[in-house]
Amino acid sequence: MANPYFAKEAPETYWKTSTDLPSFPALQEDTECDVTIIGGGITGITTAYELTKRGFRVVLIEANQVLNGTTAHTTAKITAQHDMIYDEFIRNFGLNHARLYYEANQNAVDYIKGIIDEHQINCEWTEQDAYLYTANENAVQKIRTEHEAYTKLEIERDLIKDLPIPLGSKLALVMKNQAQFHPLQYLKALLEQIVQKG
């Protein structure tokens, strides 16, 4: 079965259907800038936003339409919880490096929230807990081991049996104070800031 994300036209998502995205003309002539950024997703737009804030002349190039790739098909969660990774990180890279990884990702949550507050962006931001769970009794110990890693890293956490929705969970690990948002509404506001700065 073909992967729909690599089809000529990706499937519509809530993010796309609920956002009136801007379009920009194709580059038709030579232009001068300080920085050229390839890719009009969250990484490219955030980079352009930060550079234009600092007075750099930026050209952002996208092959098709901005915010039409991975960013338009995201889960829209903003979290330092990326599967069961922290126990593995501690074992392979040590406690300090695992903590740096967590802190960098938590700083990203705070960074996005700061931009939303600064520009009063209406993008459905809500603080949410992030969950890892298993419905398989054989994987319960993996959840417990990951919980121990959270404890070592002083990550605000909880170990629970029942999830907010009935998924037959045997055990779940909660990372507290994470978030979700409407990524395209957020990035549309950043694009407006970039355009205003030329």
Side-chain angles (χ1 to χ4, degrees):
M1 184 171 153
N3 185 331
Y5 296 106
F6 294 103
K8 287 188 178 180
E9 286 193 29
E12 291 297 307
T13 65
Y14 167 73
W15 316 125
K16 287 178 65 177
T17 58
S18 61
T19 309
D20 184 21
L21 289 175
S23 60
F24 300 93
L27 187 62
Q28 300 290 346
E29 58 191 29
D30 291 344
T31 186
E32 288 188 12
C33 63
D34 299 311
V35 180
T36 301
I37 297 169
I38 310 296
I42 190 168
T43 303
I45 291 171
T46 303
T47 304
Y49 168 78
E50 286 295 337
L51 289 170
T52 55
K53 246 174 58 168
R54 289 162 174 76
F56 289 93
R57 295 172 304 155
V58 174
V59 172
L60 178 66
I61 297 176
E62 168 59 46
N64 296 302
Q65 179 187 11
V66 294
L67 300 172
N68 196 40
T70 303
T71 301
H73 301 87
T74 178
T75 60
K77 63 179 186 172
I78 310 166
T79 180
Q81 187 184 69
H82 309 133
D83 208 345
M84 288 190 272
I85 57 171
Y86 287 103
D87 175 64
E88 182 181 346
F89 280 7
I90 290 170
R91 285 186 286 108
N92 291 321
F93 307 115
L95 193 64
N96 288 339
H97 285 89
R99 183 175 290 114
L100 285 173
Y101 178 88
Y102 167 73
E103 289 172 355
N105 281 277
Q106 195 59 45
N107 287 341
V109 176
D110 298 337
Y111 167 81
I112 291 171
K113 180 66 165 74
I115 291 174
I116 290 167
D117 290 344
E118 179 183 352
H119 299 294
Q120 295 297 295
I121 302 170
N122 182 11
C123 62
E124 303 175 24
W125 170 277
T126 55
E127 288 192 1
Q128 298 284 338
D129 294 336
Y131 296 82
L132 287 173
Y133 76 95
T134 183
N136 184 338
E137 193 68 50
N138 294 332
V140 165
Q141 186 53 48
K142 288 182 179 178
I143 296 281
R144 292 192 185 283
T145 300
E146 189 71 357
H147 178 258
E148 290 169 14
Y150 280 30
T151 303
K152 290 175 188 172
L153 294 167
E154 300 177 352
I155 296 172
E156 194 174 350
R157 70 214 166 271
D158 207 355
L159 201 58
I160 61 172
K161 184 173 187 304
D162 297 319
L163 294 169
I165 54 176
L167 293 174
S169 169
K170 299 292 184 186
L171 193 65
L173 175 59
V174 183
M175 183 179 284
K176 310 293 271 185
N177 303 318
Q178 304 302 291
Q180 66 183 25
F181 71 158
H182 189 309
L184 301 194
Q185 293 288 4
Y186 167 75
L187 291 163
K188 181 181 176 183
L190 263 61
L191 278 170
E192 290 166 0
Q193 293 293 319
I194 293 164
V195 171
Q196 283 176 21
K197 291 176 171 61

